Amino acid sequence: MFSKQEALDSYIELLKLLLPELLITHFDLNSHQTDKDVLHLHFQEKPAIPKEFSSKQVIAHGFHKEISIQDFPVRGKKVFLHIKRRRWLDKQSKQVIQRDWNLVAQGTRMTTEFAAFLKEISQ
C-alpha cells in the first residue's frame, strides 16, 4: 500500500507525462472536472517567491484573472487548462510585478506545444 506522499509523488509523475512541465513545476493542480467529453484542470501559481525577484522584497499580492487554454486531448476528451497566475508587490517601490509566462501560443487560446503540434500536422 502506498503512503499518502508516495501516492502524491506518483500522481505528479503521471501529470508530468500528460501536461506541460512548466505547469507541474510552478503551479498546483487545485481541482478538476469532467463534463461529458471535456476535462477541465484548474491550476494556481505556487506561492513560492520567483527566483527572478530574489533581489527584491516582494509579497504575494493576489491573482490575475484566470485564463483558459486548450491543450492536447486525452483519451478522446478535450482538455482545458484554467490557470491563475500570481501578482507580486515590490514592498519598496510599491510596484505590482509578475513572472513573464509563455503559456499561450500567440493568437490562439491553446498551449504553445499544442499549437506547434497542430501546425506540424497541418503541413
Side-chain angles (χ1 to χ4, degrees):
M1 193 72 162
F2 286 117
S3 72
K4 197 171 191 175
Q5 185 58 48
E6 289 171 327
L8 179 61
D9 291 345
S10 178
Y11 178 71
I12 290 171
E13 289 304 312
L14 177 61
L15 285 178
K16 285 180 181 178
L17 295 173
L18 299 173
L19 298 170
E21 187 173 338
L22 172 95
L23 280 177
I24 305 308
T25 305
H26 297 288
F27 293 80
D28 290 322
L29 177 62
N30 288 349
S31 66
H32 69 281
Q33 295 95 28
T34 304
D35 299 325
K36 296 181 185 174
D37 64 342
V38 180
L39 172 62
H40 296 275
L41 301 172
H42 297 266
F43 290 90
Q44 203 173 73
E45 189 175 347
K46 292 181 179 182
I49 296 173
K51 290 178 186 174
E52 58 266 32
F53 303 146
S54 63
S55 64
K56 302 177 181 183
Q57 288 188 343
V58 298
I59 57 172
H61 190 64
F63 292 92
H64 288 283
K65 182 180 173 189
E66 181 179 275
I67 62 168
S68 297
I69 54 178
Q70 189 171 0
D71 197 20
F72 288 95
V74 174
R75 296 223 172 252
K77 294 188 184 304
K78 295 177 187 174
V79 176
F80 287 91
L81 310 173
H82 304 279
I83 301 167
K84 287 177 73 175
R85 298 178 310 135
R86 286 193 182 274
R87 291 187 310 226
W88 302 90
L89 179 66
D90 183 329
K91 290 168 73 174
Q92 188 174 20
S93 70
K94 303 295 186 211
Q95 180 182 6
V96 175
I97 53 178
Q98 65 207 11
R99 280 187 168 153
D100 182 24
W101 296 111
N102 281 324
L103 297 175
V104 180
Q106 188 75 20
T108 71
R109 296 302 293 164
M110 59 187 73
T111 61
T112 51
E113 291 95 345
F114 189 40
F117 170 77
L118 291 176
K119 183 177 179 181
E120 184 68 29
I121 64 170
S122 70
Q123 294 178 352

